[in-house]
Amino acid sequence: MNYKETLFFVGKCLTISHEEHNRQIVEQKIKTNSVNWDQVVKLSTAHYVFPALYCNLKRANLLSLLPKDLVGFMKEITDLNRERNLQIIEQAKEINSILLASNIRPIFLKGTGNLLEGLYEDVAERMVGDIDFIIAESELENTVNILKKQGYRERVKSEFKPLIFLHYPRLVHKKQIAAVEIHKEVVIQKYTNDFSYKTLSKQLIKTKQAQLVLSYKNQLLLSTFAYQINDRGQQLNMIALRNAYDVFLLSKKTNSTQYIDKNSKIYRPLYTFLLLCKEVFNHPSSIQIPNDFSAKNYLNKFQQLLANPEQFQKRKQKTDWIYLTKARASIFLEAVYKRETRNWLFAKFADKDWRKQKLSQLGFKPKP
């Protein structure tokens, strides 16, 4: 199995609890010993869907067809992830209670929000990094101070006041399992008018235990934009299966077609990601999108990159370089008219350790 075959096989596996035609294809492929399980483990781990893969195979009663040592390994990892997620849920509930006591209403996002809302049949399915939540920008400083009083600290200490656009630097607690990201925005500046705290807070779901999470519509949109916009998936012409799996599950709860508006700035990243989801998951019934022949080239390029991993790596390096260059240029431009950015930049330049670090990154050895 090459990379493309492995990706599409894993994609089908992630849908077999809902799509009978995919279940039949997967079962037949396993029975004919056509699966390279080493490749499947490697790819599903890299895409953070290894536990979701196990849970779906288990629900489809296909584990008996897999090598016993593989099943044991998958179960062990899934059990560990379940325990971690249960701890994350409790940590999020505690944060919610602490902030509500100060009249601050956090809206939980991404994996944590999905866990609290009950998106997954088994909480072990989702691999979660940080606890993400968004609050009004006016409450950011107060929220940070409240959590610091509870023992949270910056993961990386710095003498400089951080520049914040999407979220405050990660906070960690020595007695808690997950880092915390406090957001004031969830997408890069170009899209904030379409997808801001103000718009998100108008449509919320309140869980049984009083946590706030995004509406199904906005959960689906954020699952798309977190990769397609923030992580430059649109430019990379690639898919992230963890985000795609969330979109697939959410497509069972809300009709994605109604959010596709050609006149909207978010049309292209939303449409192209749904297009790739539909392709990789083998056309599930819940992902229905209108025909857009202009997107045909995007799908063709995706297929081409899957067949040529080296070309994808070159594309990624180029995309990362362009992004980094634009980001640095944006900071310098902002420093011209914004005092906070200017002071931050001057403080950075004045720091000897920071200068040495940057010179080293550029390939220049510091003088002895």
Side-chain angles (χ1 to χ4, degrees), residues 64-88:
S64 61
L65 303 177
L66 275 61
K68 289 185 178 180
D69 57 342
L70 172 61
V71 173
F73 176 65
M74 296 177 84
K75 182 180 185 302
E76 180 182 1
I77 297 300
T78 303
D79 288 345
L80 288 171
N81 196 54
R82 183 183 296 105
E83 179 58 33
R84 172 181 164 81
N85 284 351
L86 289 172
Q87 292 180 58
I88 286 175

PDB file of all heavy atoms in Angstrom, residues 64-88:
ATOM      1  N   SER A  64     -11.551  -9.043  15.117  1.00  0.00           N
ATOM      2  CA  SER A  64     -11.152 -10.460  15.077  1.00  0.00           C
ATOM      3  C   SER A  64     -10.373 -10.801  13.814  1.00  0.00           C
ATOM      4  O   SER A  64      -9.687 -11.827  13.758  1.00  0.00           O
ATOM      5  CB  SER A  64     -12.388 -11.358  15.174  1.00  0.00           C
ATOM      6  OG  SER A  64     -13.270 -11.126  14.077  1.00  0.00           O
ATOM      7  N   LEU A  65     -10.469  -9.937  12.796  1.00  0.00           N
ATOM      8  CA  LEU A  65      -9.758 -10.174  11.538  1.00  0.00           C
ATOM      9  C   LEU A  65      -8.355  -9.581  11.545  1.00  0.00           C
ATOM     10  O   LEU A  65      -7.586  -9.822  10.612  1.00  0.00           O
ATOM     11  CB  LEU A  65     -10.560  -9.563  10.371  1.00  0.00           C
ATOM     12  CG  LEU A  65     -12.000 -10.044  10.197  1.00  0.00           C
ATOM     13  CD1 LEU A  65     -12.670  -9.302   9.047  1.00  0.00           C
ATOM     14  CD2 LEU A  65     -12.039 -11.553   9.960  1.00  0.00           C
ATOM     15  N   LEU A  66      -8.013  -8.818  12.578  1.00  0.00           N
ATOM     16  CA  LEU A  66      -6.718  -8.141  12.646  1.00  0.00           C
ATOM     17  C   LEU A  66      -5.722  -8.986  13.423  1.00  0.00           C
ATOM     18  O   LEU A  66      -6.106  -9.842  14.239  1.00  0.00           O
ATOM     19  CB  LEU A  66      -6.865  -6.778  13.332  1.00  0.00           C
ATOM     20  CG  LEU A  66      -7.277  -5.581  12.466  1.00  0.00           C
ATOM     21  CD1 LEU A  66      -8.646  -5.795  11.825  1.00  0.00           C
ATOM     22  CD2 LEU A  66      -7.271  -4.301  13.302  1.00  0.00           C
ATOM     23  N   PRO A  67      -4.420  -8.763  13.219  1.00  0.00           N
ATOM     24  CA  PRO A  67      -3.409  -9.462  14.029  1.00  0.00           C
ATOM     25  C   PRO A  67      -3.617  -9.166  15.517  1.00  0.00           C
ATOM     26  O   PRO A  67      -3.886  -8.028  15.902  1.00  0.00           O
ATOM     27  CB  PRO A  67      -2.084  -8.853  13.530  1.00  0.00           C
ATOM     28  CG  PRO A  67      -2.389  -8.350  12.151  1.00  0.00           C
ATOM     29  CD  PRO A  67      -3.814  -7.896  12.192  1.00  0.00           C
ATOM     30  N   LYS A  68      -3.502 -10.196  16.367  1.00  0.00           N
ATOM     31  CA  LYS A  68      -3.799 -10.045  17.786  1.00  0.00           C
ATOM     32  C   LYS A  68      -2.895  -9.028  18.471  1.00  0.00           C
ATOM     33  O   LYS A  68      -3.338  -8.269  19.345  1.00  0.00           O
ATOM     34  CB  LYS A  68      -3.692 -11.401  18.488  1.00  0.00           C
ATOM     35  CG  LYS A  68      -4.821 -12.355  18.131  1.00  0.00           C
ATOM     36  CD  LYS A  68      -4.732 -13.640  18.948  1.00  0.00           C
ATOM     37  CE  LYS A  68      -5.894 -14.578  18.622  1.00  0.00           C
ATOM     38  NZ  LYS A  68      -5.836 -15.836  19.409  1.00  0.00           N
ATOM     39  N   ASP A  69      -1.603  -9.008  18.100  1.00  0.00           N
ATOM     40  CA  ASP A  69      -0.696  -8.069  18.748  1.00  0.00           C
ATOM     41  C   ASP A  69      -1.042  -6.631  18.372  1.00  0.00           C
ATOM     42  O   ASP A  69      -0.908  -5.711  19.189  1.00  0.00           O
ATOM     43  CB  ASP A  69       0.759  -8.379  18.392  1.00  0.00           C
ATOM     44  CG  ASP A  69       1.021  -8.379  16.891  1.00  0.00           C
ATOM     45  OD1 ASP A  69       0.047  -8.485  16.114  1.00  0.00           O
ATOM     46  OD2 ASP A  69       2.190  -8.263  16.488  1.00  0.00           O
ATOM     47  N   LEU A  70      -1.525  -6.430  17.157  1.00  0.00           N
ATOM     48  CA  LEU A  70      -1.949  -5.095  16.734  1.00  0.00           C
ATOM     49  C   LEU A  70      -3.180  -4.652  17.521  1.00  0.00           C
ATOM     50  O   LEU A  70      -3.251  -3.510  17.987  1.00  0.00           O
ATOM     51  CB  LEU A  70      -2.264  -5.085  15.240  1.00  0.00           C
ATOM     52  CG  LEU A  70      -2.897  -3.797  14.687  1.00  0.00           C
ATOM     53  CD1 LEU A  70      -1.958  -2.603  14.887  1.00  0.00           C
ATOM     54  CD2 LEU A  70      -3.252  -3.954  13.211  1.00  0.00           C
ATOM     55  N   VAL A  71      -4.144  -5.556  17.682  1.00  0.00           N
ATOM     56  CA  VAL A  71      -5.355  -5.227  18.433  1.00  0.00           C
ATOM     57  C   VAL A  71      -5.002  -4.861  19.872  1.00  0.00           C
ATOM     58  O   VAL A  71      -5.533  -3.891  20.440  1.00  0.00           O
ATOM     59  CB  VAL A  71      -6.353  -6.399  18.409  1.00  0.00           C
ATOM     60  CG1 VAL A  71      -7.543  -6.115  19.327  1.00  0.00           C
ATOM     61  CG2 VAL A  71      -6.836  -6.673  16.996  1.00  0.00           C
ATOM     62  N   GLY A  72      -4.078  -5.611  20.464  1.00  0.00           N
ATOM     63  CA  GLY A  72      -3.655  -5.321  21.831  1.00  0.00           C
ATOM     64  C   GLY A  72      -3.023  -3.952  21.952  1.00  0.00           C
ATOM     65  O   GLY A  72      -3.291  -3.208  22.906  1.00  0.00           O
ATOM     66  N   PHE A  73      -2.186  -3.609  20.969  1.00  0.00           N
ATOM     67  CA  PHE A  73      -1.529  -2.297  20.961  1.00  0.00           C
ATOM     68  C   PHE A  73      -2.550  -1.175  20.784  1.00  0.00           C
ATOM     69  O   PHE A  73      -2.515  -0.150  21.483  1.00  0.00           O
ATOM     70  CB  PHE A  73      -0.492  -2.253  19.833  1.00  0.00           C
ATOM     71  CG  PHE A  73       0.186  -0.923  19.675  1.00  0.00           C
ATOM     72  CD1 PHE A  73       1.000  -0.418  20.676  1.00  0.00           C
ATOM     73  CD2 PHE A  73       0.003  -0.172  18.516  1.00  0.00           C
ATOM     74  CE1 PHE A  73       1.627   0.822  20.531  1.00  0.00           C
ATOM     75  CE2 PHE A  73       0.619   1.056  18.360  1.00  0.00           C
ATOM     76  CZ  PHE A  73       1.431   1.554  19.372  1.00  0.00           C
ATOM     77  N   MET A  74      -3.485  -1.368  19.857  1.00  0.00           N
ATOM     78  CA  MET A  74      -4.508  -0.353  19.602  1.00  0.00           C
ATOM     79  C   MET A  74      -5.377  -0.132  20.834  1.00  0.00           C
ATOM     80  O   MET A  74      -5.715   1.014  21.183  1.00  0.00           O
ATOM     81  CB  MET A  74      -5.390  -0.767  18.425  1.00  0.00           C
ATOM     82  CG  MET A  74      -4.664  -0.861  17.095  1.00  0.00           C
ATOM     83  SD  MET A  74      -5.729  -1.443  15.752  1.00  0.00           S
ATOM     84  CE  MET A  74      -6.515   0.085  15.250  1.00  0.00           C
ATOM     85  N   LYS A  75      -5.730  -1.221  21.500  1.00  0.00           N
ATOM     86  CA  LYS A  75      -6.557  -1.113  22.705  1.00  0.00           C
ATOM     87  C   LYS A  75      -5.812  -0.357  23.804  1.00  0.00           C
ATOM     88  O   LYS A  75      -6.402   0.499  24.495  1.00  0.00           O
ATOM     89  CB  LYS A  75      -6.951  -2.500  23.202  1.00  0.00           C
ATOM     90  CG  LYS A  75      -7.854  -2.488  24.424  1.00  0.00           C
ATOM     91  CD  LYS A  75      -8.216  -3.884  24.871  1.00  0.00           C
ATOM     92  CE  LYS A  75      -9.219  -3.861  26.033  1.00  0.00           C
ATOM     93  NZ  LYS A  75      -8.725  -3.110  27.209  1.00  0.00           N
ATOM     94  N   GLU A  76      -4.538  -0.654  23.964  1.00  0.00           N
ATOM     95  CA  GLU A  76      -3.745  -0.002  25.011  1.00  0.00           C
ATOM     96  C   GLU A  76      -3.688   1.508  24.785  1.00  0.00           C
ATOM     97  O   GLU A  76      -3.911   2.301  25.715  1.00  0.00           O
ATOM     98  CB  GLU A  76      -2.327  -0.579  25.032  1.00  0.00           C
ATOM     99  CG  GLU A  76      -1.434   0.047  26.097  1.00  0.00           C
ATOM    100  CD  GLU A  76      -0.027  -0.509  26.070  1.00  0.00           C
ATOM    101  OE1 GLU A  76       0.267  -1.372  25.213  1.00  0.00           O
ATOM    102  OE2 GLU A  76       0.789  -0.078  26.913  1.00  0.00           O
ATOM    103  N   ILE A  77      -3.403   1.926  23.555  1.00  0.00           N
ATOM    104  CA  ILE A  77      -3.312   3.355  23.234  1.00  0.00           C
ATOM    105  C   ILE A  77      -4.668   4.028  23.415  1.00  0.00           C
ATOM    106  O   ILE A  77      -4.771   5.135  23.961  1.00  0.00           O
ATOM    107  CB  ILE A  77      -2.804   3.555  21.802  1.00  0.00           C
ATOM    108  CG1 ILE A  77      -1.384   2.991  21.642  1.00  0.00           C
ATOM    109  CG2 ILE A  77      -2.847   5.030  21.412  1.00  0.00           C
ATOM    110  CD1 ILE A  77      -0.356   3.623  22.547  1.00  0.00           C
ATOM    111  N   THR A  78      -5.726   3.352  22.987  1.00  0.00           N
ATOM    112  CA  THR A  78      -7.076   3.914  23.105  1.00  0.00           C
ATOM    113  C   THR A  78      -7.491   4.059  24.559  1.00  0.00           C
ATOM    114  O   THR A  78      -8.084   5.065  24.953  1.00  0.00           O
ATOM    115  CB  THR A  78      -8.086   3.042  22.336  1.00  0.00           C
ATOM    116  OG1 THR A  78      -7.680   2.933  20.972  1.00  0.00           O
ATOM    117  CG2 THR A  78      -9.478   3.654  22.386  1.00  0.00           C
ATOM    118  N   ASP A  79      -7.174   3.061  25.376  1.00  0.00           N
ATOM    119  CA  ASP A  79      -7.495   3.136  26.800  1.00  0.00           C
ATOM    120  C   ASP A  79      -6.764   4.298  27.467  1.00  0.00           C
ATOM    121  O   ASP A  79      -7.340   5.011  28.299  1.00  0.00           O
ATOM    122  CB  ASP A  79      -7.137   1.831  27.507  1.00  0.00           C
ATOM    123  CG  ASP A  79      -8.080   0.685  27.148  1.00  0.00           C
ATOM    124  OD1 ASP A  79      -9.157   0.969  26.581  1.00  0.00           O
ATOM    125  OD2 ASP A  79      -7.734  -0.484  27.423  1.00  0.00           O
ATOM    126  N   LEU A  80      -5.504   4.490  27.101  1.00  0.00           N
ATOM    127  CA  LEU A  80      -4.727   5.611  27.653  1.00  0.00           C
ATOM    128  C   LEU A  80      -5.337   6.949  27.227  1.00  0.00           C
ATOM    129  O   LEU A  80      -5.428   7.892  28.031  1.00  0.00           O
ATOM    130  CB  LEU A  80      -3.271   5.525  27.192  1.00  0.00           C
ATOM    131  CG  LEU A  80      -2.417   4.418  27.812  1.00  0.00           C
ATOM    132  CD1 LEU A  80      -1.068   4.328  27.099  1.00  0.00           C
ATOM    133  CD2 LEU A  80      -2.208   4.664  29.304  1.00  0.00           C
ATOM    134  N   ASN A  81      -5.769   7.018  25.980  1.00  0.00           N
ATOM    135  CA  ASN A  81      -6.355   8.273  25.484  1.00  0.00           C
ATOM    136  C   ASN A  81      -7.704   8.539  26.147  1.00  0.00           C
ATOM    137  O   ASN A  81      -8.050   9.691  26.435  1.00  0.00           O
ATOM    138  CB  ASN A  81      -6.525   8.201  23.969  1.00  0.00           C
ATOM    139  CG  ASN A  81      -6.749   9.574  23.366  1.00  0.00           C
ATOM    140  OD1 ASN A  81      -5.969  10.502  23.565  1.00  0.00           O
ATOM    141  ND2 ASN A  81      -7.843   9.739  22.628  1.00  0.00           N
ATOM    142  N   ARG A  82      -8.462   7.481  26.410  1.00  0.00           N
ATOM    143  CA  ARG A  82      -9.749   7.638  27.097  1.00  0.00           C
ATOM    144  C   ARG A  82      -9.530   8.214  28.492  1.00  0.00           C
ATOM    145  O   ARG A  82     -10.219   9.150  28.916  1.00  0.00           O
ATOM    146  CB  ARG A  82     -10.484   6.308  27.192  1.00  0.00           C
ATOM    147  CG  ARG A  82     -11.861   6.433  27.833  1.00  0.00           C
ATOM    148  CD  ARG A  82     -12.558   5.086  27.984  1.00  0.00           C
ATOM    149  NE  ARG A  82     -12.825   4.483  26.687  1.00  0.00           N
ATOM    150  CZ  ARG A  82     -12.142   3.455  26.173  1.00  0.00           C
ATOM    151  NH1 ARG A  82     -11.124   2.921  26.867  1.00  0.00           N
ATOM    152  NH2 ARG A  82     -12.438   2.961  24.996  1.00  0.00           N
ATOM    153  N   GLU A  83      -8.559   7.665  29.199  1.00  0.00           N
ATOM    154  CA  GLU A  83      -8.272   8.148  30.553  1.00  0.00           C
ATOM    155  C   GLU A  83      -7.819   9.612  30.514  1.00  0.00           C
ATOM    156  O   GLU A  83      -8.239  10.417  31.347  1.00  0.00           O
ATOM    157  CB  GLU A  83      -7.189   7.277  31.198  1.00  0.00           C
ATOM    158  CG  GLU A  83      -6.790   7.699  32.602  1.00  0.00           C
ATOM    159  CD  GLU A  83      -7.951   7.720  33.577  1.00  0.00           C
ATOM    160  OE1 GLU A  83      -8.865   6.884  33.438  1.00  0.00           O
ATOM    161  OE2 GLU A  83      -7.946   8.585  34.486  1.00  0.00           O
ATOM    162  N   ARG A  84      -6.988   9.951  29.546  1.00  0.00           N
ATOM    163  CA  ARG A  84      -6.536  11.338  29.414  1.00  0.00           C
ATOM    164  C   ARG A  84      -7.723  12.265  29.132  1.00  0.00           C
ATOM    165  O   ARG A  84      -7.839  13.330  29.734  1.00  0.00           O
ATOM    166  CB  ARG A  84      -5.503  11.439  28.287  1.00  0.00           C
ATOM    167  CG  ARG A  84      -5.102  12.878  27.945  1.00  0.00           C
ATOM    168  CD  ARG A  84      -4.098  12.931  26.796  1.00  0.00           C
ATOM    169  NE  ARG A  84      -4.024  14.268  26.240  1.00  0.00           N
ATOM    170  CZ  ARG A  84      -3.325  15.264  26.766  1.00  0.00           C
ATOM    171  NH1 ARG A  84      -2.646  15.065  27.871  1.00  0.00           N
ATOM    172  NH2 ARG A  84      -3.315  16.453  26.196  1.00  0.00           N
ATOM    173  N   ASN A  85      -8.586  11.854  28.228  1.00  0.00           N
ATOM    174  CA  ASN A  85      -9.729  12.699  27.872  1.00  0.00           C
ATOM    175  C   ASN A  85     -10.702  12.877  29.029  1.00  0.00           C
ATOM    176  O   ASN A  85     -11.292  13.954  29.192  1.00  0.00           O
ATOM    177  CB  ASN A  85     -10.455  12.131  26.650  1.00  0.00           C
ATOM    178  CG  ASN A  85      -9.707  12.412  25.362  1.00  0.00           C
ATOM    179  OD1 ASN A  85      -8.735  13.169  25.345  1.00  0.00           O
ATOM    180  ND2 ASN A  85     -10.146  11.812  24.275  1.00  0.00           N
ATOM    181  N   LEU A  86     -10.885  11.845  29.835  1.00  0.00           N
ATOM    182  CA  LEU A  86     -11.752  11.981  31.008  1.00  0.00           C
ATOM    183  C   LEU A  86     -11.167  13.009  31.978  1.00  0.00           C
ATOM    184  O   LEU A  86     -11.903  13.799  32.584  1.00  0.00           O
ATOM    185  CB  LEU A  86     -11.923  10.625  31.693  1.00  0.00           C
ATOM    186  CG  LEU A  86     -12.775   9.602  30.929  1.00  0.00           C
ATOM    187  CD1 LEU A  86     -12.717   8.231  31.615  1.00  0.00           C
ATOM    188  CD2 LEU A  86     -14.228  10.066  30.810  1.00  0.00           C
ATOM    189  N   GLN A  87      -9.838  13.025  32.093  1.00  0.00           N
ATOM    190  CA  GLN A  87      -9.195  14.021  32.941  1.00  0.00           C
ATOM    191  C   GLN A  87      -9.317  15.424  32.338  1.00  0.00           C
ATOM    192  O   GLN A  87      -9.513  16.407  33.063  1.00  0.00           O
ATOM    193  CB  GLN A  87      -7.718  13.668  33.139  1.00  0.00           C
ATOM    194  CG  GLN A  87      -7.487  12.409  33.958  1.00  0.00           C
ATOM    195  CD  GLN A  87      -6.003  12.103  34.132  1.00  0.00           C
ATOM    196  OE1 GLN A  87      -5.245  12.918  34.644  1.00  0.00           O
ATOM    197  NE2 GLN A  87      -5.586  10.930  33.697  1.00  0.00           N
ATOM    198  N   ILE A  88      -9.217  15.515  31.014  1.00  0.00           N
ATOM    199  CA  ILE A  88      -9.369  16.804  30.343  1.00  0.00           C
ATOM    200  C   ILE A  88     -10.783  17.351  30.550  1.00  0.00           C
ATOM    201  O   ILE A  88     -10.967  18.555  30.789  1.00  0.00           O
ATOM    202  CB  ILE A  88      -9.051  16.666  28.842  1.00  0.00           C
ATOM    203  CG1 ILE A  88      -7.536  16.526  28.645  1.00  0.00           C
ATOM    204  CG2 ILE A  88      -9.581  17.855  28.043  1.00  0.00           C
ATOM    205  CD1 ILE A  88      -7.115  16.256  27.214  1.00  0.00           C
TER     206      ILE A  88
END
